[in-house]
Amino acid sequence: MISKVKFFLTLFIALSTSIALRAQQNISIASPNQAINLEVLNTEQGILSYSITYKSRKIIEASTLGFSFSKPALQLTNFTINAFDTTLHDDTWKPVWGEVSHIRNYYKQLNVRLEDKTGSGILLNVVFRIFNDGVGFRYEFPQQASLRHFIVSEEHTQFRLAGDHKTFWIPGDYETNEYGYHTTKLSEVDALAAAQKEKDIALTAPIGANAVQTPLMMKTAEGLYINLHEAALRNYPVMNLMLDKKALTLTTHLVPDAVGNKAYLQTPAQTPWRTVIVSDKAAGILASKMILNLNEPSLIGDAEWVKPQKYVGMWWEMHVGKANWPLADGKHGANTRNVKSYIDFAAKYGFKGVLVEGWNTGWEDWFGNWKEEVFDFVTPYPDYDIKELSAYAKAKGVRIIMHHETSGAVTNYERRMDTAYRFMQDHGMNMVKTGYVGRIIPRGEHHDGQWMVNHYERVAQKTAQYKIMLVAHESVRPTGLHRTYPNWLANEAARGSEFHNAPTLGMSPEHTTILPFTRGIGGPMDFTPGFFHFQLNQFDSTRTQKIRSTLAKQLALYVTMYSPVQMAADLPENYNKHLDAFQFIVDVPVDWADTQILEAEPGDYLTIARKEKIRDADKGKEAWFVGAITDENPRTASIALTFLKKGKKYEATLYRDANHASWEKAPEAYTIEKRTVTNKTRLNILLASGGGCAISLIEK
Amino acid sequence: MISKVKFFLTLFIALSTSIALRAQQNISIASPNQAINLEVLNTEQGILSYSITYKSRKIIEASTLGFSFSKPALQLTNFTINAFDTTLHDDTWKPVWGEVSHIRNYYKQLNVRLEDKTGSGILLNVVFRIFNDGVGFRYEFPQQASLRHFIVSEEHTQFRLAGDHKTFWIPGDYETNEYGYHTTKLSEVDALAAAQKEKDIALTAPIGANAVQTPLMMKTAEGLYINLHEAALRNYPVMNLMLDKKALTLTTHLVPDAVGNKAYLQTPAQTPWRTVIVSDKAAGILASKMILNLNEPSLIGDAEWVKPQKYVGMWWEMHVGKANWPLADGKHGANTRNVKSYIDFAAKYGFKGVLVEGWNTGWEDWFGNWKEEVFDFVTPYPDYDIKELSAYAKAKGVRIIMHHETSGAVTNYERRMDTAYRFMQDHGMNMVKTGYVGRIIPRGEHHDGQWMVNHYERVAQKTAQYKIMLVAHESVRPTGLHRTYPNWLANEAARGSEFHNAPTLGMSPEHTTILPFTRGIGGPMDFTPGFFHFQLNQFDSTRTQKIRSTLAKQLALYVTMYSPVQMAADLPENYNKHLDAFQFIVDVPVDWADTQILEAEPGDYLTIARKEKIRDADKGKEAWFVGAITDENPRTASIALTFLKKGKKYEATLYRDANHASWEKAPEAYTIEKRTVTNKTRLNILLASGGGCAISLIEK
């Protein structure tokens, strides 16, 4: 329901004069709950800026807006405000899947109608949406005689910060988002030095010393939490942010295409939403649904076939050297016998999917050569009997998850997508994991440029046409598009579990306490948790890497790292040694009716409780699952179970670190306890260094 | 039949010494008929060169060979000859269609096995094939440990000429081959000035003042004719030639990709053949089958479905302003009623195809905006009833020819090709005219780069899979690949008839006397001749353009411009005014048992006789068709009919310029005469300024 009622009462309008067009213009508008105030200022010279106040504290100082175009060649940085209007929006919608069953979309909108002051006649709007938890704004270029096709050479959107905030950042980069996070003051960002330390990312293209990526998480000295990102990234390149350390100002830097342009647009056109989420509690950032709300409703029609699920698969054994992707070296993992054993394991424990990597020809020569014709996506290796396996999986009630590694040769993939998806249908598969490891073809394009952003969306569209669910790796980081394409379940698009195996920097114990505040703000991550074996020399005695986590923390990640697809990433043989702990992975759902962020501090700790969407529906009973994690510091999670129904008893199963556990010395030391609890219970649970705790709470 | 017998008798080998590896090495080999001699020289320093002698006259002086690679980064310009061997090849093959029914492939081959002298260990071969009418050579990179994936940043193949020859050239360019020809001495080439005069080509990217394209036609002061081109251009960019005017040396300049590289190769790899055709008669250049012989045999299997044919269509009426491609402006040509009238006309006169341009949505916004999603290739305009027209055409024994204008958005086309070809099959179509007007997407790629060369071949492959014949416009110029893909009937890839309508330079009367020596050397051109109305103000009185040809010359072009597809390009209403002359277009075949070049001088005149492949086969009777054309100068073609069977009588129908005809004053003045002739007859026929003559000779 959209209300077009104008907010004359809540809107403070200060047009210095309506006649003297040269005078300064101010527009001010508050969020529905008045906590956030947005001001738009246009100077005599036509310099347009906005600022944001949260509970009377300035969050974003006056920050200017504008563009450079290369066609028509002009600077769009001086504006006349022709008009503006405001609306209130308040409705509630139901996601196909998610962290909560209902989402309220409640904001005031300010639409500022602008004209280029330099005389081109170009019209544009800046549309602001002021939510109770932040502000989103975008540029809109209406259909008009003065502007039809145009090429953006840069967007000049500023975020001028009010202080030298503590910032959780990764280097700005055209190709990758798989960096480890750094925590420094804004003024201490050195993205190039950070990028140069990274040795384990397949392909990097860092932008410069002062470039950082979004979602960018910050904390002010006063304890406010600010998150900058974008929503609904479609037909536009990714926004990186360039830092001016003196001015504490971040400015958009879009990812270029092969010839240095940024975006090719045609009116009517619009940019993605630029988002500022703000809260005085870290939990408020995680609870925000603003990014989702700024995305369009589903475009895929009936989504009854989209099924959140857990899966196992042929993947980690390649990473630890037990097997390999290519057939040629004699350790081919994806052979019929081996995959059958995964299907057996999946069926035994109720996993719906079995991922199989290395099933198709091409792996002998796939990486690092900018080669266009690597995979055809339909030719199995001779030792992989796809017909037999399809039948076997079907008989066991399991589906094989397709793996389409493109090696970055996207033109090749696009030519073959239809055929590949038909091949999946023919073999009973309904989920694909895509991969983009390597330099992009079309050569000169980048993973995060407009052309690739459009590609990822094309894949989401086309898989939807074939009723296929999608999980993309090495892709663009999400911006809430899973609302629009609910078959696009998750992306990797950050440092995930494969980096446990990275020889150089790997994954720090604090990484998973930062991810939900950064990468997770845009959408679900296929993080692939669940490791039960921590020293990675199981099959290769020369390896010294170890997973910097306890076993109990691995369980907790199924709750703290939200995703509608969750892998049990370790080897079945490792799970078989700890079947009591594995029970939590078997039990934990992937779709939720409610979520409560109980404790949160980025870089330190996180405790989240989630209510299962479907459990004993006929009996009206409910189940909650809690994950608590910490960084390298032990801590006591203090969990008040006030979210449980009053007067009901629940069986709590606690999977916690043993008292002597630590990621470094005793990662596999865990304790399982069962207790009866109520909504008055408070659990105080010791989390080890690099540790965590997982709890299931089943109504009796 | 390949003979591996070594030519110890005919091969002169002068290894200065087989032990002192530093000494200079010479290898010499002659063509089967001894007319051509090739010498390969490797200096002490490892500078490798070749030279070519024709009838004891030096054609190519010692010219060096080599490469620059960007990966591995090295110069491949100093070589050690490890070994060499020679073979003789002599066989005869039958083209699916062509100018002749049988082609002899007769050459000596010299394979020089080289190693990089600078120590990289890289092995390569230069393979020379010495025919009686020229030399072809290519580089081969065998599979080897020292070289797997590599990137060519430039090829350094020289053609050092022995004199300042008269040269027929167009500017070297990354995007287009639609220039008008210039005739100057080599030393007088000014390609940039020439390119800047061109205003009517949709997109140009001239390389520089000294860059020219192939096929490059030259004539020496002694009256030798030399043609430089390439054969079997696959997985490699187009070769332009950079001229060093002082040294009279041409050196390869390959078309770059979006990031400035030239070719991405993986061993085993090979370049296209670099070709030097030489003759002491201009006719010898036209008669050469060397380019075809250097191409691989057909890859498309049974080609019974490939049918050379004539067609009419919805095309010229857009060019002259009677109709238009878009629906929006109210003159939409491709409407059901109008197309039916073309089908009626085609059926009445035995044309097998009706081309329809502007049938599909997108033309309102198709050109000049580097826009990716323009056409979907399956959505007709609402006034084009494709079902009704498909049925109507089928009932009349005619097929609609599909038009796929890509607007240069090749990624978009590649994504949609399968669907588009299936759509064609569903509607009874088996020929597609593709178009590439505009800047290429992937952005930064060029029409003539490696990626596009591969694209054109992919289209040939995929259309073959769907049993679809292909005619490509604005594509790469041919290099004999129609042997390998006989469904790829023709390309435009040069200045064709649409330039009659160009406001600036248009098409000179000599253009068609040069084309067969240049563009035509690589393969058939969809030139679209057959104009009967010469003042182009028929529907738009403001137009001053006129076609610089007589009507009789337009008929002659059906013989002189060889192609297995020939359009009758003018409007039916213009043909209806001259049905007696139109009869030649109705009669002239498009597939030939034999071809004889009777008179030829590039830039001046051309007389060709061709024998129909199938005519009265049961009665053993034959038919010949003769075309004679001249440039702006009137001349008398003197045609001895010695090619006719001895002792047989033929009915000759002469379609000639009327005595007062001229392209400028009286283009439509023609005379038709019937005579009985024998193989002893000599016809002396006056060709007007810009004129010509067409003759059918039917055995009685």
Side-chain angles (χ1 to χ4, degrees):
Chain A
M1 179 209 68
I2 294 174
S3 160
K4 287 273 178 187
V5 178
K6 292 206 177 183
F7 271 80
F8 291 113
L9 295 177
T10 62
L11 181 70
F12 171 74
I13 306 166
L15 289 176
S16 307
T17 156
S18 58
I19 297 164
L21 283 173
R22 289 194 176 176
Q24 180 167 305
Q25 293 173 297
N26 284 313
I27 309 169
S28 177
I29 183 168
S31 61
N33 69 353
Q34 310 291 324
I36 295 179
N37 199 69
L38 173 87
E39 281 192 74
V40 173
L41 173 72
N42 200 30
T43 68
E44 271 188 48
Q45 294 75 35
I47 306 296
L48 185 76
S49 64
Y50 74 99
S51 60
I52 300 174
T53 307
Y54 175 72
K55 296 186 177 172
S56 306
R57 280 169 294 186
K58 204 68 130 181
I59 302 303
I60 303 289
E61 304 273 5
S63 300
T64 56
L65 301 170
F67 287 91
S68 298
F69 291 172
S70 61
K71 180 188 168 189
L74 56 81
Q75 296 294 312
L76 203 57
T77 46
N78 293 72
F79 304 96
T80 305
I81 297 181
N82 283 342
F84 64 91
D85 61 68
T86 66
T87 47
L88 173 69
H89 184 103
D90 187 3
D91 70 356
T92 297
W93 56 281
K94 289 169 72 170
V96 174
W97 43 261
E99 297 178 88
V100 294
S101 59
H102 293 76
I103 295 175
R104 184 179 184 187
N105 189 13
Y106 184 31
Y107 60 83
K108 287 193 207 149
Q109 176 168 303
L110 168 66
N111 186 357
V112 185
R113 298 176 194 279
L114 303 168
E115 184 171 344
D116 177 17
K117 197 169 183 137
T118 64
S120 69
I122 291 173
L123 303 174
L124 70 159
N125 308 325
V126 182
V127 178
F128 295 90
R129 289 187 180 168
I130 302 93
F131 298 80
N132 288 338
D133 53 358
V135 174
F137 62 93
R138 72 176 177 193
Y139 304 86
E140 295 178 351
F141 296 91
Q143 198 154 9
Q144 57 191 290
S146 300
L147 191 67
R148 195 167 180 211
H149 295 273
F150 61 108
I151 301 175
V152 175
S153 54
E154 193 54 278
E155 176 187 327
H156 307 299
T157 300
Q158 286 186 345
F159 303 88
R160 218 177 121 213
L161 298 160
D164 192 6
H165 306 325
K166 179 181 181 183
T167 304
F168 302 85
W169 58 271
I170 57 174
D173 195 293
Y174 295 156
E175 304 286 4
T176 188
N177 31 43
E178 297 193 357
Y179 289 103
Y181 286 95
H182 297 262
T183 309
T184 69
K185 286 189 174 181
L186 254 186
S187 62
E188 292 163 353
V189 165
D190 187 348
L192 223 44
Q196 280 157 3
K197 278 182 206 146
E198 297 279 3
K199 305 293 179 205
D200 303 315
I201 305 173
L203 176 67
T204 65
I207 298 166
N210 293 317
V212 295
Q213 298 197 33
T214 72
L216 187 70
M217 187 66 210
M218 291 174 284
K219 184 180 183 183
T220 75
E222 301 85 30
L224 292 186
Y225 297 85
I226 302 169
N227 185 285
L228 304 182
H229 190 36
E230 60 183 318
L233 172 63
R234 300 172 70 183
N235 193 30
Y236 206 79
V238 161
M239 171 181 77
N240 285 269
L241 294 173
M242 298 300 288
L243 172 64
D244 177 337
K245 288 178 183 171
K246 269 179 109 170
L248 296 174
T249 298
L250 296 155
T251 307
T252 44
H253 175 98
L254 304 176
V255 175
D257 81 340
V259 299
N261 288 320
K262 302 298 177 80
Y264 300 80
L265 299 176
Q266 178 174 3
T267 57
Q270 61 210 14
T271 68
W273 297 92
R274 280 62 187 93
T275 61
V276 182
I277 308 175
V278 58
S279 177
D280 46 17
K281 294 198 183 69
I285 303 293
L286 297 183
S288 174
K289 295 289 168 281
M290 197 180 92
I291 299 264
L292 271 176
N293 278 325
L294 288 168
N295 276 271
E296 296 297 315
S298 173
L299 289 174
I300 72 166
D302 165 41
E304 171 276 331
W305 51 274
V306 174
K307 302 285 186 200
Q309 62 190 262
K310 287 173 288 183
Y311 69 102
V312 296
M314 171 73 51
W315 170 72
W316 187 243
E317 59 179 86
M318 281 84 118
H319 279 279
V320 291
K322 182 183 180 189
N324 209 345
W325 288 269
L327 181 64
D329 71 353
K331 289 204 295 182
H332 185 226
N335 62 70
T336 306
R337 186 188 46 73
N338 203 7
V339 172
K340 276 189 180 174
S341 76
Y342 275 91
I343 294 171
D344 292 341
F345 185 81
K348 184 169 180 183
Y349 294 107
F351 291 83
K352 290 295 172 208
V354 174
L355 171 69
V356 183
E357 297 202 358
W359 69 277
N360 58 331
T361 58
W363 290 93
E364 283 71 15
D365 184 34
W366 76 286
F367 179 68
N369 296 305
W370 227 1
K371 178 177 172 177
E372 188 162 6
E373 302 276 333
V374 174
F375 297 108
D376 71 4
F377 311 100
V378 295
T379 306
Y381 278 119
D383 63 344
Y384 184 79
D385 189 332
I386 194 164
K387 279 192 184 170
E388 185 179 336
L389 284 165
S390 302
Y392 192 79
K394 189 175 182 184
K396 296 258 180 176
V398 169
R399 285 183 195 261
I400 294 173
I401 297 175
M402 176 50 98
H403 184 226
H404 287 166
E405 175 53 55
T406 66
S407 69
V410 181
T411 46
N412 178 53
Y413 187 47
E414 291 205 337
R415 288 192 287 269
R416 299 174 185 276
M417 268 160 53
D418 268 299
T419 303
Y421 299 149
R422 245 179 270 126
F423 180 86
M424 283 179 61
Q425 283 187 329
D426 293 346
H427 293 88
M429 291 181 246
N430 69 349
M431 190 185 305
V432 61
K433 171 184 173 179
T434 57
Y436 297 90
V437 178
R439 296 179 81 176
I440 296 297
I441 303 176
R443 295 189 184 94
E445 296 291 343
H446 302 292
H447 280 74
D448 282 0
Q450 182 190 26
W451 196 88
M452 282 300 294
V453 165
N454 284 334
H455 165 75
Y456 304 122
E457 185 172 351
R458 277 195 291 272
V459 175
Q461 288 168 338
K462 198 169 271 296
T463 48
Q465 286 166 18
Y466 287 89
K467 295 200 188 330
I468 289 171
M469 291 171 276
L470 169 65
V471 177
H473 278 230
E474 298 86 27
S475 68
V476 67
R477 79 284 189 281
T479 58
L481 272 177
H482 50 296
R483 179 180 180 189
T484 309
Y485 299 102
N487 64 309
W488 191 355
L489 297 180
N491 286 11
E492 183 188 39
R495 176 157 296 190
S497 287
E498 65 185 349
F499 277 83
H500 287 314
N501 191 39
T504 314
L505 296 176
M507 198 186 303
S508 69
E510 72 169 8
H511 186 67
T512 45
T513 70
I514 300 174
L515 272 179
F517 292 94
T518 51
R519 164 63 180 77
I521 293 298
M525 177 172 176
D526 189 30
F527 182 76
T528 64
F531 292 94
F532 279 21
H533 190 95
F534 295 80
Q535 198 77 40
L536 300 185
N537 59 357
Q538 211 174 352
F539 302 96
D540 174 356
S541 60
T542 67
R543 297 192 190 211
T544 56
Q545 300 98 295
K546 56 194 290 187
I547 295 175
R548 298 174 200 166
S549 166
T550 66
L551 190 151
K553 182 177 184 180
Q554 289 295 312
L555 299 181
L557 294 173
Y558 286 89
V559 181
T560 61
M561 289 293 303
Y562 168 69
S563 177
V565 275
Q566 292 281 19
M567 186 177 202
D570 209 338
L571 310 179
E573 60 234 59
N574 292 333
Y575 290 132
N576 282 332
K577 291 177 202 154
H578 304 286
L579 285 173
D580 57 349
F582 185 63
Q583 189 61 41
F584 183 81
I585 303 179
V586 172
D587 291 340
V588 69
V590 284
D591 199 14
W592 308 99
D594 195 13
T595 287
Q596 300 214 9
I597 317 295
L598 305 180
E599 303 179 301
E601 184 61 32
D604 293 339
Y605 58 85
L606 194 55
T607 304
I608 297 180
R610 301 190 198 269
K611 182 181 170 186
E612 189 173 18
K613 204 179 216 171
I614 301 161
R615 157 84 52 160
D616 239 353
D618 51 342
K619 295 181 195 157
K621 303 243 174 130
E622 66 175 31
W624 286 78
F625 292 78
V626 177
I629 61 170
T630 184
D631 59 3
E632 68 280 8
N633 300 309
R635 77 178 288 266
T636 298
S638 182
I639 307 171
L641 303 181
T642 50
F643 49 85
L644 299 179
K645 281 191 281 191
K646 278 184 193 169
K648 298 286 180 183
K649 289 185 177 172
Y650 291 74
E651 180 178 75
T653 308
L654 282 72
Y655 304 77
R656 65 173 183 84
D657 293 323
N659 293 341
H660 66 290
S662 79
W663 75 264
E664 219 162 355
K665 302 278 173 59
E668 291 172 28
Y670 63 89
T671 299
I672 302 176
E673 295 169 4
K674 284 192 190 291
R675 293 172 54 177
T676 297
V677 298
T678 70
N679 75 323
K680 293 179 179 161
T681 307
R682 176 176 286 274
L683 300 172
N684 290 302
I685 304 167
L686 182 71
L687 313 181
S689 165
C693 174
I695 309 169
S696 63
L697 298 153
I698 315 296
E699 186 182 347
K700 286 190 171 182
Chain B
M1 180 209 69
I2 295 175
S3 160
K4 287 276 179 187
V5 177
K6 294 207 175 185
F7 270 79
F8 291 112
L9 295 179
T10 62
L11 180 69
F12 170 73
I13 307 168
L15 289 177
S16 307
T17 154
S18 59
I19 296 165
L21 283 176
R22 289 194 175 175
Q24 179 166 308
Q25 293 172 298
N26 283 313
I27 309 169
S28 176
I29 183 168
S31 62
N33 70 352
Q34 309 292 322
I36 295 179
N37 199 67
L38 172 87
E39 280 192 76
V40 173
L41 173 72
N42 200 30
T43 68
E44 269 186 50
Q45 293 74 35
I47 306 296
L48 186 77
S49 65
Y50 73 98
S51 61
I52 300 172
T53 309
Y54 174 72
K55 294 185 179 173
S56 306
R57 280 169 294 186
K58 204 67 130 184
I59 301 303
I60 304 290
E61 304 274 3
S63 299
T64 57
L65 301 170
F67 287 91
S68 299
F69 291 171
S70 60
K71 180 188 167 187
L74 55 81
Q75 296 294 313
L76 203 58
T77 47
N78 293 74
F79 304 96
T80 304
I81 297 181
N82 284 341
F84 65 90
D85 62 67
T86 67
T87 47
L88 174 69
H89 184 103
D90 188 2
D91 70 357
T92 298
W93 57 281
K94 289 170 71 169
V96 173
W97 44 261
E99 296 179 90
V100 295
S101 60
H102 293 76
I103 295 176
R104 185 179 183 186
N105 190 12
Y106 185 31
Y107 61 82
K108 286 193 207 153
Q109 176 168 303
L110 168 65
N111 185 357
V112 185
R113 298 176 193 279
L114 302 168
E115 184 171 344
D116 177 17
K117 198 170 182 137
T118 64
S120 69
I122 292 174
L123 303 173
L124 72 160
N125 307 326
V126 183
V127 178
F128 295 91
R129 289 186 181 168
I130 302 92
F131 297 80
N132 287 339
D133 53 358
V135 174
F137 61 95
R138 74 175 175 192
Y139 303 87
E140 295 178 350
F141 296 91
Q143 198 154 9
Q144 57 191 288
S146 301
L147 192 67
R148 195 168 181 211
H149 295 273
F150 61 109
I151 301 175
V152 175
S153 53
E154 193 54 279
E155 177 187 327
H156 306 298
T157 300
Q158 286 188 343
F159 302 89
R160 219 176 121 213
L161 298 159
D164 192 7
H165 307 325
K166 179 182 182 182
T167 304
F168 303 86
W169 58 272
I170 56 175
D173 195 291
Y174 295 157
E175 304 287 3
T176 187
N177 31 44
E178 297 192 357
Y179 289 103
Y181 286 94
H182 298 262
T183 308
T184 70
K185 286 189 175 178
L186 254 185
S187 61
E188 293 163 353
V189 165
D190 187 348
L192 224 43
Q196 280 157 3
K197 278 182 206 147
E198 297 279 4
K199 306 291 180 206
D200 303 316
I201 305 173
L203 177 67
T204 65
I207 298 167
N210 293 316
V212 295
Q213 299 195 35
T214 74
L216 187 70
M217 186 67 208
M218 292 175 283
K219 184 180 184 182
T220 75
E222 301 86 30
L224 292 187
Y225 298 86
I226 302 169
N227 184 285
L228 304 182
H229 191 34
E230 60 182 319
L233 173 62
R234 300 172 72 184
N235 194 30
Y236 205 78
V238 161
M239 172 180 78
N240 285 268
L241 294 172
M242 298 300 289
L243 172 62
D244 177 338
K245 287 177 183 171
K246 269 178 109 171
L248 296 174
T249 298
L250 296 155
T251 307
T252 43
H253 175 96
L254 305 176
V255 175
D257 81 340
V259 298
N261 287 320
K262 302 299 176 78
Y264 300 79
L265 300 176
Q266 177 174 4
T267 57
Q270 62 211 15
T271 68
W273 296 92
R274 280 62 187 93
T275 61
V276 182
I277 308 175
V278 57
S279 176
D280 47 16
K281 293 198 184 70
I285 303 293
L286 297 182
S288 174
K289 295 289 168 280
M290 197 179 92
I291 299 263
L292 271 177
N293 278 324
L294 288 168
N295 276 271
E296 297 298 315
S298 173
L299 288 175
I300 72 165
D302 165 41
E304 171 275 332
W305 53 274
V306 174
K307 302 284 187 201
Q309 64 190 262
K310 287 174 289 185
Y311 69 103
V312 296
M314 171 71 52
W315 169 73
W316 188 242
E317 56 180 86
M318 280 84 116
H319 279 278
V320 292
K322 181 183 179 190
N324 210 345
W325 289 269
L327 180 65
D329 71 352
K331 290 203 296 181
H332 186 225
N335 61 70
T336 306
R337 185 190 46 72
N338 202 7
V339 172
K340 276 189 179 174
S341 78
Y342 275 93
I343 293 171
D344 292 341
F345 185 81
K348 182 169 182 183
Y349 293 106
F351 292 83
K352 291 293 173 211
V354 175
L355 171 70
V356 183
E357 297 200 1
W359 68 277
N360 57 332
T361 58
W363 291 93
E364 282 72 15
D365 183 33
W366 78 285
F367 178 69
N369 295 307
W370 227 0
K371 178 178 172 176
E372 187 161 5
E373 302 277 334
V374 174
F375 298 107
D376 71 4
F377 310 101
V378 295
T379 306
Y381 277 120
D383 63 344
Y384 185 78
D385 188 331
I386 194 164
K387 279 192 185 171
E388 183 179 337
L389 284 164
S390 300
Y392 192 79
K394 189 175 183 183
K396 295 259 182 176
V398 169
R399 285 183 195 262
I400 294 173
I401 297 175
M402 178 49 97
H403 183 227
H404 287 167
E405 174 55 54
T406 66
S407 68
V410 181
T411 46
N412 178 52
Y413 187 47
E414 291 205 338
R415 287 193 287 270
R416 298 173 185 277
M417 268 160 53
D418 268 298
T419 303
Y421 299 150
R422 244 179 271 127
F423 181 86
M424 284 180 61
Q425 282 187 331
D426 293 346
H427 294 89
M429 291 182 246
N430 68 351
M431 190 185 305
V432 61
K433 171 184 174 178
T434 58
Y436 298 90
V437 177
R439 296 179 82 178
I440 296 297
I441 304 176
R443 296 189 183 94
E445 296 291 342
H446 301 292
H447 280 74
D448 282 1
Q450 182 190 25
W451 196 88
M452 282 300 295
V453 165
N454 284 334
H455 164 75
Y456 304 122
E457 185 171 350
R458 277 195 290 273
V459 175
Q461 288 167 340
K462 198 170 272 296
T463 48
Q465 287 165 17
Y466 286 89
K467 295 202 187 328
I468 289 172
M469 292 173 276
L470 170 65
V471 177
H473 279 230
E474 299 87 24
S475 68
V476 67
R477 76 286 191 277
T479 58
L481 272 177
H482 51 295
R483 180 180 180 191
T484 309
Y485 299 102
N487 64 309
W488 191 353
L489 297 179
N491 287 11
E492 183 187 39
R495 177 157 295 191
S497 287
E498 64 185 350
F499 278 81
H500 287 313
N501 191 39
T504 314
L505 296 175
M507 199 186 302
S508 69
E510 73 171 6
H511 186 67
T512 46
T513 71
I514 300 174
L515 272 179
F517 292 95
T518 51
R519 164 64 181 75
I521 294 298
M525 178 172 174
D526 188 31
F527 182 77
T528 64
F531 292 93
F532 279 21
H533 190 94
F534 296 81
Q535 199 77 38
L536 300 185
N537 58 358
Q538 211 172 353
F539 303 95
D540 173 358
S541 60
T542 67
R543 298 192 190 211
T544 56
Q545 300 97 297
K546 57 194 289 190
I547 296 174
R548 299 174 198 166
S549 165
T550 67
L551 189 151
K553 184 178 181 178
Q554 288 294 313
L555 299 180
L557 294 174
Y558 286 88
V559 182
T560 62
M561 288 295 300
Y562 168 69
S563 177
V565 274
Q566 292 280 21
M567 187 178 203
D570 210 337
L571 310 178
E573 60 234 57
N574 291 334
Y575 290 133
N576 283 331
K577 292 177 200 154
H578 304 286
L579 284 174
D580 56 349
F582 186 62
Q583 189 61 43
F584 182 81
I585 302 178
V586 172
D587 291 342
V588 67
V590 283
D591 197 15
W592 308 99
D594 195 14
T595 287
Q596 301 214 8
I597 317 296
L598 305 179
E599 302 180 305
E601 185 62 30
D604 292 340
Y605 57 84
L606 192 56
T607 304
I608 298 180
R610 303 192 196 266
K611 183 181 169 185
E612 189 174 18
K613 206 179 213 173
I614 301 158
R615 158 82 53 161
D616 240 352
D618 52 340
K619 295 180 194 161
K621 301 246 173 126
E622 67 175 30
W624 287 77
F625 293 77
V626 178
I629 62 171
T630 183
D631 60 3
E632 68 281 6
N633 300 309
R635 76 179 287 267
T636 299
S638 181
I639 307 170
L641 304 181
T642 50
F643 49 85
L644 299 179
K645 281 191 282 193
K646 275 185 194 169
K648 298 287 180 185
K649 289 184 177 172
Y650 291 74
E651 179 177 75
T653 307
L654 283 71
Y655 304 77
R656 65 173 181 84
D657 294 322
N659 293 342
H660 65 291
S662 79
W663 75 265
E664 220 163 354
K665 301 279 175 56
E668 292 173 28
Y670 62 90
T671 299
I672 300 175
E673 297 170 4
K674 285 192 188 290
R675 292 172 54 177
T676 297
V677 298
T678 70
N679 73 324
K680 292 179 180 162
T681 308
R682 177 178 284 274
L683 301 171
N684 291 302
I685 305 167
L686 183 69
L687 313 181
S689 167
C693 175
I695 308 168
S696 62
L697 297 153
I698 315 296
E699 186 181 345
K700 287 190 170 181

